[in-house]
Amino acid sequence: GDKSVDVGVFCLALMGTNIAEFIREAHRILRDNGVIKIAEVRSRFEKSASDNESKSPTVTKRSKTQQKSGKNILDTTGEVNHTRDTKLLDHFITVMMQLGFKKITIDQSNKMFFMMEFRKIQGKKPSKTATFTAKP
């Protein structure tokens, strides 16, 4: 039912043509301050090497904990080195905000997948017009 879930997980599950509909449903069922965890294939959110000859994106700012762990995690400041075109990922983050979610982290350490975490913003209603479609 409405506001009955603490954590929602989308693991390689955002395959529809309008991902925003899936996120709106997650917004409906998540409690205030609930969390969405998303694991998706990188290539659906960025250009391929053949589209752009640059290297993989890297994090430009990491916390002391992240530096010690050696993980490349995009922190809540949202600073990314755009050595690869991540405009689609940036757009996804913007759409998530329009849909009532704030980015917590985006882990780009895996060369094949993004691990993303968002928190439901208490009192923010999701946009009815926001749309997003990842690359096939």
Side-chain angles (χ1 to χ4, degrees):
D2 292 356
K3 295 186 177 185
S4 62
V5 175
D6 292 313
V7 178
V9 177
F10 290 99
C11 183
L12 305 177
L14 299 178
M15 298 296 182
T17 57
N18 188 1
I19 291 171
E21 290 300 318
F22 301 138
I23 303 303
R24 279 188 200 90
E25 181 63 11
H27 189 279
R28 183 187 69 79
I29 66 166
L30 279 174
R31 292 186 173 124
D32 288 338
N33 296 312
V35 172
I36 292 181
K37 294 185 178 257
I38 300 172
E40 282 295 333
V41 178
R42 292 180 77 111
S43 63
R44 298 192 69 224
F45 291 88
E46 63 186 17
K47 285 187 174 185
S48 67
S50 63
D51 293 335
N52 184 347
E53 294 179 18
S54 299
K55 296 179 182 177
S56 297
T58 57
V59 175
T60 58
K61 183 175 181 179
R62 297 189 297 172
S63 70
K64 289 180 183 177
T65 303
Q66 291 165 339
Q67 290 170 1
K68 287 179 183 175
S69 71
K71 290 185 178 179
N72 292 327
I73 297 175
L74 177 66
D75 66 15
T76 55
T77 64
E79 295 184 54
V80 169
N81 179 348
H82 289 277
T83 56
R84 175 181 269 188
D85 186 355
T86 58
K87 288 181 183 177
L88 194 57
L89 178 60
D90 293 342
H91 178 63
F92 178 70
I93 293 166
T94 299
V95 169
M96 289 297 288
M97 192 71 148
Q98 293 170 354
L99 294 170
F101 290 92
K102 180 180 180 185
K103 174 181 53 63
I104 299 170
T105 61
I106 297 182
D107 181 343
Q108 299 177 329
S109 62
N110 186 290
K111 68 179 182 176
M112 299 298 291
F113 301 96
F114 284 136
M115 301 293 292
M116 301 176 262
E117 190 170 328
F118 297 87
R119 182 171 309 281
K120 182 179 175 180
I121 302 168
Q122 188 171 351
K124 181 164 173 73
K125 301 233 182 236
S127 164
K128 293 180 180 179
T129 59
T131 62
F132 182 82
T133 303
K135 291 169 53 176

